[in-house]
Short mmCIF file of all heavy atoms in Angstrom, two decimals:
data_model
loop_
_atom_site.label_atom_id
_atom_site.label_comp_id
_atom_site.label_asym_id
_atom_site.label_seq_id
_atom_site.Cartn_x
_atom_site.Cartn_y
_atom_site.Cartn_z
N PHE Q 19 148.81 -0.10 98.48
CA PHE Q 19 147.91 -0.42 97.34
C PHE Q 19 146.56 0.32 97.40
O PHE Q 19 145.72 0.15 96.53
CB PHE Q 19 147.68 -1.90 97.20
CG PHE Q 19 148.91 -2.62 96.94
CD1 PHE Q 19 149.50 -3.32 98.10
CD2 PHE Q 19 149.65 -2.74 95.77
CE1 PHE Q 19 150.72 -4.07 97.97
CE2 PHE Q 19 150.86 -3.40 95.69
CZ PHE Q 19 151.39 -4.05 96.74
N ALA Q 20 146.31 0.94 98.53
CA ALA Q 20 144.98 1.35 98.85
C ALA Q 20 144.38 2.44 97.97
O ALA Q 20 143.20 2.39 97.53
CB ALA Q 20 144.88 1.91 100.36
N ASP Q 21 145.23 3.34 97.44
CA ASP Q 21 144.67 4.50 96.67
C ASP Q 21 144.99 4.43 95.23
O ASP Q 21 144.81 5.31 94.40
CB ASP Q 21 145.23 5.77 97.23
CG ASP Q 21 144.70 6.04 98.66
OD1 ASP Q 21 143.52 5.65 98.95
OD2 ASP Q 21 145.45 6.61 99.48
N MET Q 22 145.65 3.26 94.75
CA MET Q 22 146.08 3.17 93.32
C MET Q 22 144.80 2.98 92.49
O MET Q 22 143.76 2.45 92.99
CB MET Q 22 147.07 2.13 93.13
CG MET Q 22 146.62 0.68 93.43
SD MET Q 22 147.98 -0.49 93.33
CE MET Q 22 148.60 -0.26 91.72
N ALA Q 23 144.93 3.20 91.20
CA ALA Q 23 143.84 3.04 90.32
C ALA Q 23 143.42 1.59 90.12
O ALA Q 23 144.28 0.68 90.18
CB ALA Q 23 144.21 3.58 88.91
N ASP Q 24 142.14 1.36 89.99
CA ASP Q 24 141.67 -0.03 89.89
C ASP Q 24 142.32 -0.79 88.77
O ASP Q 24 142.66 -2.04 88.88
CB ASP Q 24 140.17 -0.01 89.78
CG ASP Q 24 139.43 0.42 91.02
OD1 ASP Q 24 139.99 0.44 92.04
OD2 ASP Q 24 138.27 0.81 90.87
N ASP Q 25 142.44 -0.24 87.59
CA ASP Q 25 143.02 -0.89 86.42
C ASP Q 25 144.51 -1.22 86.71
O ASP Q 25 144.98 -2.29 86.28
CB ASP Q 25 142.81 -0.16 85.19
CG ASP Q 25 143.49 1.28 85.23
OD1 ASP Q 25 143.61 1.85 86.31
OD2 ASP Q 25 143.74 1.79 84.12
N GLN Q 26 145.18 -0.34 87.33
CA GLN Q 26 146.71 -0.57 87.70
C GLN Q 26 146.79 -1.69 88.70
O GLN Q 26 147.67 -2.50 88.59
CB GLN Q 26 147.28 0.74 88.20
CG GLN Q 26 147.24 1.87 87.25
CD GLN Q 26 148.23 1.72 86.11
OE1 GLN Q 26 148.72 0.57 85.78
NE2 GLN Q 26 148.61 2.80 85.44
N PHE Q 27 145.90 -1.74 89.73
CA PHE Q 27 145.91 -2.77 90.68
C PHE Q 27 145.61 -4.15 90.01
O PHE Q 27 146.29 -5.16 90.31
CB PHE Q 27 144.84 -2.46 91.77
CG PHE Q 27 144.76 -3.60 92.84
CD1 PHE Q 27 145.84 -3.71 93.85
CD2 PHE Q 27 143.71 -4.56 92.92
CE1 PHE Q 27 145.73 -4.69 94.77
CE2 PHE Q 27 143.74 -5.49 93.84
CZ PHE Q 27 144.64 -5.61 94.76
N ALA Q 28 144.69 -4.17 89.11
CA ALA Q 28 144.28 -5.38 88.37
C ALA Q 28 145.52 -5.85 87.45
O ALA Q 28 145.79 -7.07 87.46
CB ALA Q 28 143.14 -5.07 87.44
N THR Q 29 146.22 -4.91 86.95
CA THR Q 29 147.54 -5.22 86.25
C THR Q 29 148.49 -5.96 87.12
O THR Q 29 149.07 -6.95 86.81
CB THR Q 29 148.05 -3.97 85.58
OG1 THR Q 29 147.15 -3.46 84.69
CG2 THR Q 29 149.36 -4.32 84.88
N LEU Q 30 148.71 -5.37 88.28
CA LEU Q 30 149.65 -6.04 89.24
C LEU Q 30 149.19 -7.44 89.59
O LEU Q 30 149.96 -8.37 89.63
CB LEU Q 30 149.78 -5.26 90.43
CG LEU Q 30 150.68 -3.96 90.34
CD1 LEU Q 30 150.73 -3.29 91.68
CD2 LEU Q 30 152.11 -4.39 89.86
N MET Q 31 147.85 -7.60 89.89
CA MET Q 31 147.38 -8.87 90.34
C MET Q 31 147.42 -9.90 89.23
O MET Q 31 147.69 -11.10 89.53
CB MET Q 31 145.92 -8.78 90.92
CG MET Q 31 145.85 -7.89 92.14
SD MET Q 31 146.86 -8.55 93.56
CE MET Q 31 148.25 -7.45 93.39
N ARG Q 32 147.26 -9.54 87.98
CA ARG Q 32 147.25 -10.51 86.85
C ARG Q 32 148.60 -11.17 86.75
O ARG Q 32 148.65 -12.41 86.38
CB ARG Q 32 146.91 -9.84 85.52
CG ARG Q 32 145.47 -9.69 85.32
CD ARG Q 32 145.13 -9.39 83.85
NE ARG Q 32 145.71 -8.17 83.44
CZ ARG Q 32 145.09 -6.99 83.53
NH1 ARG Q 32 143.91 -6.86 84.06
NH2 ARG Q 32 145.67 -5.80 83.09
N GLY Q 33 149.68 -10.53 87.05
CA GLY Q 33 151.04 -11.11 86.99
C GLY Q 33 151.52 -11.69 88.21
O GLY Q 33 152.74 -12.10 88.33
N SER Q 34 150.71 -11.76 89.22
CA SER Q 34 151.10 -12.11 90.63
C SER Q 34 150.75 -13.57 90.89
O SER Q 34 149.98 -14.18 90.20
CB SER Q 34 150.55 -11.22 91.66
OG SER Q 34 150.91 -9.92 91.39
N TYR Q 35 151.46 -14.08 91.87
CA TYR Q 35 151.29 -15.58 92.32
C TYR Q 35 151.21 -15.59 93.83
O TYR Q 35 151.65 -14.69 94.54
CB TYR Q 35 152.48 -16.39 91.83
CG TYR Q 35 152.65 -16.36 90.35
CD1 TYR Q 35 153.52 -15.39 89.66
CD2 TYR Q 35 152.02 -17.27 89.45
CE1 TYR Q 35 153.69 -15.43 88.31
CE2 TYR Q 35 152.24 -17.27 88.11
CZ TYR Q 35 153.10 -16.34 87.51
OH TYR Q 35 153.22 -16.33 86.18
N VAL Q 36 150.72 -16.71 94.23
CA VAL Q 36 150.67 -17.08 95.68
C VAL Q 36 151.34 -18.46 95.81
O VAL Q 36 151.04 -19.38 95.05
CB VAL Q 36 149.28 -17.06 96.25
CG1 VAL Q 36 149.25 -17.57 97.67
CG2 VAL Q 36 148.72 -15.59 96.23
N GLN Q 37 152.11 -18.52 96.85
CA GLN Q 37 152.70 -19.85 97.13
C GLN Q 37 152.73 -20.09 98.61
O GLN Q 37 153.03 -19.24 99.43
CB GLN Q 37 154.14 -19.99 96.56
CG GLN Q 37 154.76 -21.36 96.69
CD GLN Q 37 156.06 -21.58 95.96
OE1 GLN Q 37 156.55 -20.55 95.35
NE2 GLN Q 37 156.60 -22.69 95.97
N THR Q 38 152.48 -21.37 99.00
CA THR Q 38 152.55 -21.75 100.44
C THR Q 38 153.90 -22.43 100.67
O THR Q 38 154.27 -23.36 99.94
CB THR Q 38 151.43 -22.75 100.83
OG1 THR Q 38 150.14 -22.00 100.66
CG2 THR Q 38 151.50 -23.08 102.32
N PHE Q 39 154.72 -21.95 101.62
CA PHE Q 39 155.99 -22.53 101.86
C PHE Q 39 155.97 -23.20 103.24
O PHE Q 39 155.45 -22.66 104.26
CB PHE Q 39 157.00 -21.36 101.90
CG PHE Q 39 157.14 -20.67 100.59
CD1 PHE Q 39 156.43 -19.56 100.22
CD2 PHE Q 39 158.13 -21.15 99.67
CE1 PHE Q 39 156.61 -18.86 99.11
CE2 PHE Q 39 158.36 -20.45 98.46
CZ PHE Q 39 157.53 -19.36 98.15
N PRO Q 40 156.60 -24.27 103.43
CA PRO Q 40 156.85 -24.88 104.67
C PRO Q 40 157.87 -24.09 105.57
O PRO Q 40 158.51 -23.18 105.05
CB PRO Q 40 157.38 -26.27 104.42
CG PRO Q 40 158.01 -26.14 103.08
CD PRO Q 40 157.25 -25.09 102.35
N PRO Q 41 158.05 -24.44 106.81
CA PRO Q 41 159.03 -23.68 107.72
C PRO Q 41 160.42 -23.94 107.20
O PRO Q 41 160.79 -24.90 106.55
CB PRO Q 41 158.83 -24.31 109.05
CG PRO Q 41 157.48 -24.96 108.97
CD PRO Q 41 157.28 -25.36 107.68
N GLN Q 42 161.23 -22.83 107.58
CA GLN Q 42 162.64 -22.93 107.33
C GLN Q 42 163.09 -23.01 105.78
O GLN Q 42 164.07 -23.65 105.39
CB GLN Q 42 163.33 -24.08 108.05
CG GLN Q 42 163.07 -24.07 109.57
CD GLN Q 42 163.57 -22.79 110.15
OE1 GLN Q 42 164.75 -22.34 109.92
NE2 GLN Q 42 162.71 -22.16 111.06
N ILE Q 43 162.28 -22.35 104.92
CA ILE Q 43 162.57 -22.32 103.59
C ILE Q 43 163.06 -21.01 103.16
O ILE Q 43 162.60 -19.96 103.58
CB ILE Q 43 161.32 -22.63 102.69
CG1 ILE Q 43 160.77 -24.05 102.87
CG2 ILE Q 43 161.54 -22.38 101.26
CD1 ILE Q 43 161.82 -25.13 102.37
N ASN Q 44 164.18 -20.97 102.40
CA ASN Q 44 164.81 -19.73 101.97
C ASN Q 44 163.96 -19.09 100.85
O ASN Q 44 163.76 -19.71 99.72
CB ASN Q 44 166.21 -19.94 101.40
CG ASN Q 44 167.14 -20.27 102.54
OD1 ASN Q 44 167.04 -19.70 103.71
ND2 ASN Q 44 168.13 -21.16 102.30
N LEU Q 45 163.39 -17.87 101.06
CA LEU Q 45 162.64 -17.24 100.05
C LEU Q 45 163.49 -16.36 99.15
O LEU Q 45 163.35 -16.08 97.96
CB LEU Q 45 161.55 -16.39 100.67
CG LEU Q 45 160.55 -17.12 101.59
CD1 LEU Q 45 159.74 -16.06 102.39
CD2 LEU Q 45 159.69 -18.04 100.80
N ILE Q 46 164.43 -15.73 99.86
CA ILE Q 46 165.32 -14.70 99.20
C ILE Q 46 166.80 -15.02 99.74
O ILE Q 46 166.91 -15.26 100.87
CB ILE Q 46 164.81 -13.28 99.66
CG1 ILE Q 46 163.60 -12.89 98.86
CG2 ILE Q 46 166.03 -12.30 99.19
CD1 ILE Q 46 163.06 -11.61 99.40
N VAL Q 47 167.67 -14.90 98.73
CA VAL Q 47 169.09 -15.01 99.12
C VAL Q 47 169.79 -13.57 99.02
O VAL Q 47 169.71 -13.01 97.91
CB VAL Q 47 169.81 -16.06 98.39
CG1 VAL Q 47 171.32 -16.12 98.75
CG2 VAL Q 47 169.23 -17.44 98.57
N GLU Q 48 170.46 -13.17 100.02
CA GLU Q 48 171.17 -11.89 99.89
C GLU Q 48 172.12 -11.78 98.74
O GLU Q 48 172.86 -12.76 98.54
CB GLU Q 48 171.99 -11.73 101.33
CG GLU Q 48 172.66 -10.44 101.39
CD GLU Q 48 173.43 -10.39 102.83
OE1 GLU Q 48 173.43 -11.51 103.46
OE2 GLU Q 48 174.01 -9.43 103.12
N GLY Q 49 172.00 -10.76 98.02
CA GLY Q 49 172.81 -10.49 96.86
C GLY Q 49 172.19 -11.02 95.56
O GLY Q 49 172.67 -10.70 94.41
N ASP Q 50 171.13 -11.72 95.58
CA ASP Q 50 170.35 -12.14 94.38
C ASP Q 50 169.55 -10.94 93.78
O ASP Q 50 169.18 -10.07 94.47
CB ASP Q 50 169.40 -13.36 94.67
CG ASP Q 50 170.12 -14.67 94.78
OD1 ASP Q 50 171.35 -14.72 94.49
OD2 ASP Q 50 169.46 -15.68 94.99
N PRO Q 51 169.26 -11.03 92.49
CA PRO Q 51 168.38 -10.00 91.82
C PRO Q 51 166.98 -9.91 92.50
O PRO Q 51 166.47 -11.07 92.91
CB PRO Q 51 168.35 -10.46 90.41
CG PRO Q 51 169.41 -11.40 90.17
CD PRO Q 51 169.66 -12.03 91.51
N SER Q 52 166.44 -8.73 92.55
CA SER Q 52 165.16 -8.57 93.22
C SER Q 52 164.12 -8.85 92.13
O SER Q 52 163.51 -7.86 91.53
CB SER Q 52 165.05 -7.17 93.88
OG SER Q 52 165.36 -6.23 92.89
N ASP Q 53 163.71 -10.06 91.98
CA ASP Q 53 162.67 -10.48 90.95
C ASP Q 53 161.28 -10.16 91.34
O ASP Q 53 160.47 -9.97 90.55
CB ASP Q 53 162.88 -11.92 90.55
CG ASP Q 53 164.22 -12.25 89.89
OD1 ASP Q 53 164.75 -11.27 89.21
OD2 ASP Q 53 164.68 -13.33 90.09
N PHE Q 54 160.99 -10.25 92.70
CA PHE Q 54 159.60 -10.13 93.17
C PHE Q 54 159.55 -9.23 94.36
O PHE Q 54 160.46 -9.28 95.15
CB PHE Q 54 159.10 -11.54 93.52
CG PHE Q 54 158.84 -12.47 92.44
CD1 PHE Q 54 159.87 -13.40 92.11
CD2 PHE Q 54 157.72 -12.41 91.59
CE1 PHE Q 54 159.78 -14.32 91.03
CE2 PHE Q 54 157.61 -13.25 90.53
CZ PHE Q 54 158.54 -14.25 90.21
N LEU Q 55 158.47 -8.56 94.48
CA LEU Q 55 157.98 -7.88 95.73
C LEU Q 55 157.21 -8.99 96.53
O LEU Q 55 156.30 -9.59 95.96
CB LEU Q 55 157.17 -6.71 95.47
CG LEU Q 55 156.62 -6.08 96.76
CD1 LEU Q 55 157.63 -5.47 97.58
CD2 LEU Q 55 155.60 -4.93 96.37
N HIS Q 56 157.51 -9.27 97.74
CA HIS Q 56 156.93 -10.29 98.42
C HIS Q 56 155.84 -9.67 99.50
O HIS Q 56 156.16 -8.64 100.11
CB HIS Q 56 157.96 -11.09 99.28
CG HIS Q 56 158.85 -11.94 98.46
ND1 HIS Q 56 159.77 -11.37 97.59
CD2 HIS Q 56 159.02 -13.29 98.33
CE1 HIS Q 56 160.48 -12.29 97.05
NE2 HIS Q 56 160.03 -13.45 97.43
N ILE Q 57 154.76 -10.30 99.64
CA ILE Q 57 153.77 -9.89 100.57
C ILE Q 57 153.36 -11.11 101.42
O ILE Q 57 152.96 -12.16 100.89
CB ILE Q 57 152.45 -9.38 99.94
CG1 ILE Q 57 152.77 -8.22 98.99
CG2 ILE Q 57 151.45 -9.01 100.99
CD1 ILE Q 57 151.60 -7.74 98.21
N ILE Q 58 153.58 -11.01 102.74
CA ILE Q 58 153.34 -12.16 103.58
C ILE Q 58 151.83 -12.13 104.00
O ILE Q 58 151.37 -11.05 104.55
CB ILE Q 58 154.24 -12.22 104.79
CG1 ILE Q 58 153.89 -13.44 105.74
CG2 ILE Q 58 154.20 -10.96 105.63
CD1 ILE Q 58 154.90 -13.70 106.79
N LEU Q 59 151.07 -13.21 103.65
CA LEU Q 59 149.70 -13.25 103.90
C LEU Q 59 149.36 -13.95 105.14
O LEU Q 59 148.42 -13.62 105.93
CB LEU Q 59 149.00 -13.92 102.72
CG LEU Q 59 149.12 -13.21 101.39
CD1 LEU Q 59 148.50 -14.07 100.26
CD2 LEU Q 59 148.50 -11.85 101.37
N THR Q 60 150.11 -15.07 105.39
CA THR Q 60 149.95 -15.82 106.71
C THR Q 60 151.33 -16.31 107.02
O THR Q 60 152.16 -16.50 106.18
CB THR Q 60 149.06 -17.03 106.62
OG1 THR Q 60 149.50 -17.92 105.65
CG2 THR Q 60 147.61 -16.64 106.17
N GLY Q 61 151.54 -16.64 108.38
CA GLY Q 61 152.85 -17.12 108.79
C GLY Q 61 153.77 -16.00 109.28
O GLY Q 61 153.35 -14.95 109.68
N SER Q 62 155.05 -16.30 109.23
CA SER Q 62 156.14 -15.33 109.63
C SER Q 62 157.41 -15.59 108.84
O SER Q 62 157.68 -16.70 108.50
CB SER Q 62 156.29 -15.30 111.10
OG SER Q 62 156.66 -16.61 111.53
N VAL Q 63 158.16 -14.51 108.66
CA VAL Q 63 159.47 -14.60 107.92
C VAL Q 63 160.53 -13.80 108.62
O VAL Q 63 160.19 -12.69 109.09
CB VAL Q 63 159.24 -13.98 106.42
CG1 VAL Q 63 160.60 -13.82 105.75
CG2 VAL Q 63 158.28 -14.86 105.63
N VAL Q 64 161.70 -14.35 108.72
CA VAL Q 64 162.84 -13.72 109.30
C VAL Q 64 163.71 -13.15 108.24
O VAL Q 64 164.08 -13.86 107.28
CB VAL Q 64 163.56 -14.57 110.31
CG1 VAL Q 64 164.16 -15.79 109.70
CG2 VAL Q 64 164.59 -13.81 111.14
#
Side-chain angles (χ1 to χ4, degrees):
F19 305 98
D21 296 325
M22 66 187 303
D24 291 341
D25 58 336
Q26 300 285 21
F27 180 74
T29 296
L30 283 183
M31 294 302 98
R32 277 197 297 270
S34 302
Y35 301 90
V36 172
Q37 186 170 5
T38 299
F39 297 90
Q42 304 302 312
I43 293 296
N44 292 320
L45 303 171
I46 289 172
V47 176
E48 183 179 6
D50 280 357
S52 52
D53 295 329
F54 294 95
L55 174 65
H56 293 66
I57 303 174
I58 180 167
L59 301 173
T60 62
S62 57
V63 170
V64 63

